[in-house]
């Protein structure tokens, strides 16, 4: 399968955006003072674990999508050179 240059750049940007958004979210989750992520004793709650799992999954998917986009960009540059 061959990706267009536009689709490749979109996938690469999506992968980078995913990392940016979820790193920010994890930082905010880790520093949560509202009581959602950590209970009164300072132990992680179910909310913390579920959202950490979502973040890790998004990191993995963002990385895979970004790598596919990067490969597509590289392939399109090779074919035009």
């Amino acid at each position: 399968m061959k990706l267009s240059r536009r689709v490749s750049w979109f996938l690469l940007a999506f992968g980078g955006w995913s990392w940016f958004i979820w790193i920010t979210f994890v930082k905010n989750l880790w520093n949560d003072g509202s009581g959602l992520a950590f209970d009164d004793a300072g132990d992680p709650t179910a909310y913390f674990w579920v959202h950490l799992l979502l973040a890790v999954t998004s990191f993995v998917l963002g990385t895979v999508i970004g790598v596919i986009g990067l490969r597509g960009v590289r392939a399109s540059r090779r074919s035009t050179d």
Side-chain angles (χ1 to χ4, degrees), residues 41-79:
D43 296 326
T45 62
Y47 176 89
F48 174 84
W49 292 113
V50 166
H51 286 82
L52 186 63
L53 179 64
L54 285 171
V56 169
T57 303
S58 294
F59 287 143
V60 170
L61 292 175
T63 300
V64 169
I65 290 169
V67 167
I68 291 169
L70 181 62
R71 288 182 178 180
V73 168
R74 286 183 178 171
S76 69
R77 286 186 178 170
R78 278 193 298 258
S79 67

Side-chain angles (χ1 to χ4, degrees), residues 3-80:
L3 298 174
S4 70
R5 182 175 271 196
R6 176 181 274 167
V7 170
S8 297
W9 277 108
F10 175 78
L11 293 175
L12 185 59
F14 180 86
W17 178 254
S18 179
W19 269 85
F20 173 75
I21 290 299
W22 285 99
I23 285 175
T24 303
F25 181 80
V26 168
K27 285 180 185 178
N28 291 337
L29 182 66
W30 195 264
N31 296 323
D32 179 57
S34 69
L36 286 173
F38 298 97
D39 61 15
D40 294 333
D43 296 326
T45 62
Y47 176 89
F48 174 84
W49 292 113
V50 166
H51 286 82
L52 186 63
L53 179 64
L54 285 171
V56 169
T57 303
S58 294
F59 287 143
V60 170
L61 292 175
T63 300
V64 169
I65 290 169
V67 167
I68 291 169
L70 181 62
R71 288 182 178 180
V73 168
R74 286 183 178 171
S76 69
R77 286 186 178 170
R78 278 193 298 258
S79 67
T80 59

